[in-house]
Amino acid sequence: MADNEEQERTTSYKLFLKVISKRRTWVCLFLVVYAILLSSSWNSLNSIVDWYGEHHQTSSGWPAVYASVLLGVVFGVLSMAAALFIAVPAIVVIWISVVVSMAFAGKSRRRVVVEGRKVTKEIAGFVFRVLLKEGNFVALLCALLAYFVFFNSYSISS
């Protein structure tokens, strides 16, 4: 009975490793996380669109600019959060691999701790820069799309 349970655990663990090693699994996981974040922020997105609906009757196109910038910021932050959520396991694996490699290279514990802190700072800085670049790109893209949608709806309704 114990061997049967152990064999089931081993089989399920192997299946888990096989599934998690596929790229499409990570893409699906990213999309699920992004969808969860988007659905949880749906109220703020609706309030931005409702605010624009109330203020788009003014003579200028500034409400479209404000609403599109806010939507761009929301989507940029959401994409950065989703990317960070997905990237954390990979970052941890890389960090562990580097620290273990240093330990196997014969460095003392004290030296591994010092080098590990340096590696942690470098990895965190690199991840922050990449997330910031990608979040800004998504924010810019969403802001531009939202502006054209809002401005076209403003022009048509006038």
Side-chain angles (χ1 to χ4, degrees), residues 88-143:
V88 166
I91 293 167
V92 170
V93 168
I94 291 170
W95 181 79
I96 289 171
S97 300
V98 169
V99 171
V100 168
S101 297
M102 287 189 298
F104 281 136
K107 294 190 178 196
S108 66
R109 287 184 183 174
R110 187 172 290 160
R111 192 70 191 152
V112 169
V113 169
V114 170
E115 293 291 325
R117 287 182 183 154
K118 288 180 185 177
V119 167
T120 303
K121 288 179 187 176
E122 288 178 17
I123 290 174
F126 179 74
V127 167
F128 181 73
R129 284 191 303 271
V130 169
L131 285 176
L132 200 58
K133 285 179 187 176
E134 291 191 14
N136 286 340
F137 175 73
V138 170
L140 177 67
L141 182 68
C142 289

Side-chain angles (χ1 to χ4, degrees), residues 26-38 74-89 131 134-135 138:
W26 287 102
V27 169
C28 290
L29 187 59
F30 176 80
L31 292 175
V32 166
V33 168
Y34 196 75
I36 290 170
L37 288 172
L38 187 60
V74 168
F75 280 108
V77 169
L78 286 175
S79 67
M80 287 175 24
L84 182 64
F85 180 78
I86 298 302
V88 166
L131 285 176
E134 291 191 14
V138 170

